[in-house]
Amino acid sequence: MSGVPGRGGPVPKRQAQRRRANKPEVEVRSAPAAPAGKAQPPAAARDWHPIARRWYKALAESGQSVYYEPSDWATAYLLAEVISRELQPQIVGRDEETGKPLTATMPVKGASLAAWLKAMTGLMVTEGERRRARVELTRTDEEPAEEGALSKLDEYRRRALSG
C-alpha cells in the first residue's frame, strides 16, 4: 500500500520539491465537515501527566488541527488520557506491614510507545505523516520555493551526468 496517501511508505517530497508535473492527481472524496467552530478541542484534563497535557495543547496549536473534526479531537483526548495514565506512578507491590500499595514511576513500555505513535499517525502529528496525507503546513514568514526548483545536489548530479 505504499504510495497511497496516509498509508505508510516513503515520505513524499514537499510539493515545491517535486520534479514531475505530469503525475496524475490523487482522487479526493469529500463530505460535509462539522459546522464552523464546532470542532473545538475539549479542554485538557487538569489531572493529566504534564507530558500528556503538553502534547495535547501542542496538538491544538499545530497547523494540521484546522482539519480536525470532533471525532479527531475525541481520539486525541483519549490518547492523551492513555498517555497520562501510563506515565503516572504504577502500583508495584504492597507494604508488608501496612498493606498499603507501593508505587513507582515505570519506564514506558515499547509496545505502549508504538501504539501511541501509531495513533498519532492518524492525527498527522509528524511532518512525514502530513506529507503522506498530502497536507503541507506553511509559515507566513517562509519564502515560497520556486516552482520546479532543484536542490543544489540535484543540480550537481545533473551537471555530472551531462558532462
Side-chain angles (χ1 to χ4, degrees):
M1 288 243 175
S2 67
V4 176
R7 300 288 177 124
V11 177
K13 292 182 179 181
R14 289 176 87 57
Q15 186 67 32
Q17 295 173 327
R18 294 187 190 138
R19 288 191 223 171
R20 287 182 56 182
N22 61 344
K23 188 173 182 181
E25 289 294 318
V26 176
E27 180 184 339
V28 176
R29 296 181 184 149
S30 63
K38 187 100 167 151
Q40 295 298 315
R46 289 188 177 136
D47 61 344
W48 281 349
H49 189 278
I51 292 173
R53 284 181 64 84
R54 190 175 313 125
W55 174 79
Y56 186 78
K57 287 181 175 186
L59 192 61
E61 295 170 7
S62 296
Q64 76 274 9
S65 68
V66 301
Y67 298 107
Y68 288 0
E69 291 290 308
S71 57
D72 298 311
W73 282 117
T75 300
Y77 191 93
L78 175 64
L79 183 55
E81 176 70 27
V82 169
I83 291 170
S84 178
R85 288 182 187 191
E86 184 82 16
L87 294 176
Q88 299 292 349
Q90 308 287 317
I91 296 175
V92 293
R94 296 214 175 262
D95 185 282
E96 290 181 15
E97 293 177 16
T98 65
K100 291 184 179 179
L102 299 173
T103 60
T105 302
M106 305 298 288
V108 174
K109 297 172 198 76
S112 296
L113 182 59
W116 301 344
L117 293 173
K118 185 174 181 179
M120 289 177 187
T121 296
L123 296 170
M124 299 182 292
V125 171
T126 66
E127 172 74 6
E129 291 309 321
R130 288 190 291 271
R131 283 199 243 156
R132 283 186 186 97
R134 305 292 193 258
V135 172
E136 291 183 12
L137 303 179
T138 55
R139 292 181 174 37
T140 55
D141 59 347
E142 276 185 1
E143 253 185 58
E146 293 178 30
E147 196 168 318
L150 300 176
S151 70
K152 287 187 178 189
L153 184 57
D154 287 335
E155 183 64 28
Y156 294 139
R157 282 189 196 128
R158 192 168 58 91
R159 285 184 192 166
L161 293 174
S162 66

